[in-house]
Amino acid sequence: MPAPLVLTPLQGIPLIRPGDDLGDILWRALLKNEIALQAGDILVIAQKIVSKSEGRLVNLREVAPSPQAVELARLTDKDERFVELVLRESRKVLRYRPGTLIVEHRLGFVCANAGIDHSNVEGPYGNPEEWVLLLPENPDASARRIRNGLKERSGVSIGVLIIDSHGRAWRLGTVGVCIGVAGVPALVDLRGHPDLFGYQLRVTQVAAADELAAAASLVMGQADERTPVVHVRGFPYPLRESSFSELRRPEEQDLFR
């Protein structure tokens, strides 16, 4: 019988500022919540606190929009400075209409506004409405750095996911997805495994990191809950080294671009 999957939000995470040692903050939170890390545990971390600790805050007053950004802002009814940041963080613009701007992020995934966000963001000065937060420069590297720091402190090997909220084609609402991973299988290949009746699976690959990201996002909440980190025990697949690239569908296999 499989072990239960237990997701526990870490209470007491302070507001994160640029330059904060996130590994140390998480370690202290684990101690405060009386959670002793075990081999195979996973920490799922909201992207925003990673981005904040890495200083990815930008004030729109300091952004000079390009002619392309000015035109695209006109077509999407968005702030031209905001659109400029989206373009800088993107490989290409895929779709747009008033109120919507869909891009291929430089990290390879497709999302709205290159993941740049206003919500729950406050800069060190000026009008809070003029501060935005970019995604981490390299979420996989961020996840590895946090994982290594916690391994040094605990002596056990765990996994780390960094997640964000993305919309989905054909469905309303956002859902948590993995954008950075260390020590957790992003994709689990079940091809060749038998099903209940002995039939060998032919195409089944499980986006395990995204499934866990969605579950953790439900526990975190999306507003003022202040629970940006979830401890996970009982993940049903063996931990291993991986990267976000496992989840990225090659463009030549993408029928919807």
Side-chain angles (χ1 to χ4, degrees):
M1 184 174 181
L5 180 63
V6 180
L7 288 82
T8 305
L10 293 190
Q11 304 298 327
I13 302 290
L15 292 176
I16 303 301
R17 305 295 183 189
D20 282 351
D21 185 338
L22 204 52
D24 184 63
I25 289 171
L26 296 181
W27 178 246
R28 292 176 183 274
L30 287 164
L31 295 177
K32 184 176 181 179
N33 285 263
E34 299 182 343
I35 295 176
L37 288 177
Q38 298 178 10
D41 286 356
I42 298 170
L43 286 186
V44 183
I45 305 170
Q47 158 268 321
K48 279 185 179 172
I49 68 169
V50 178
S51 290
K52 288 178 180 179
S53 72
E54 295 179 356
R56 298 286 283 164
L57 286 160
V58 178
N59 190 302
L60 292 177
R61 296 183 66 179
E62 300 170 359
V63 177
S66 63
Q68 182 186 5
V70 171
E71 175 62 13
L72 194 54
R74 183 184 67 82
L75 295 171
T76 57
D77 293 334
K78 291 181 178 291
D79 187 310
E80 58 194 32
R81 302 165 301 174
F82 180 83
V83 173
E84 174 62 27
L85 289 176
V86 172
L87 293 177
R88 293 179 189 179
E89 288 290 293
S90 304
R91 292 178 180 172
K92 64 178 72 172
V93 174
L94 300 180
R95 300 285 189 277
Y96 61 85
R97 68 180 187 184
T100 302
L101 179 55
I102 307 298
V103 300
E104 179 185 336
H105 193 277
R106 59 177 176 76
L107 294 170
F109 46 76
V110 174
C111 64
N113 300 326
I116 301 172
D117 203 354
H118 276 289
S119 64
N120 289 320
V121 175
E122 184 179 49
Y125 60 84
N127 184 356
E129 292 295 320
E130 294 184 321
W131 286 94
V132 296
L133 189 67
L134 312 185
L135 296 184
E137 187 74 30
N138 185 334
D140 279 347
S142 301
R144 288 194 298 270
R145 190 160 49 246
I146 294 168
R147 180 194 183 209
N148 291 339
L150 290 171
K151 184 176 181 180
E152 289 178 3
R153 291 171 170 88
S154 67
V156 298
S157 183
I158 66 167
V160 170
L161 290 186
I162 297 173
I163 71 170
D164 194 14
S165 297
H166 284 190
R168 301 156 296 156
W170 307 295
R171 291 176 180 263
L172 295 175
T174 62
V175 66
V177 298
C178 169
I179 64 168
V181 57
V184 180
L187 196 69
V188 175
D189 191 349
L190 296 182
R191 291 174 295 184
H193 288 245
D195 69 4
L196 184 62
F197 303 102
Y199 174 79
Q200 282 198 339
L201 302 175
R202 297 181 180 179
V203 297
T204 303
Q205 298 183 81
V206 179
D210 278 347
E211 289 193 316
L212 184 57
S217 182
L218 191 63
V219 174
M220 289 177 181
Q222 295 290 329
D224 61 354
E225 294 84 356
R226 292 186 64 171
T227 52
V229 183
V230 173
H231 171 266
V232 179
R233 184 164 291 164
F235 187 65
Y237 303 108
L239 299 192
R240 62 168 174 81
E241 297 301 327
S242 69
S243 70
F244 166 78
S245 63
E246 293 183 12
L247 294 168
R248 186 170 57 238
R249 187 185 299 276
E251 187 170 353
E252 64 271 16
Q253 297 177 15
D254 190 338
L255 302 179
F256 303 100
R257 294 215 196 169

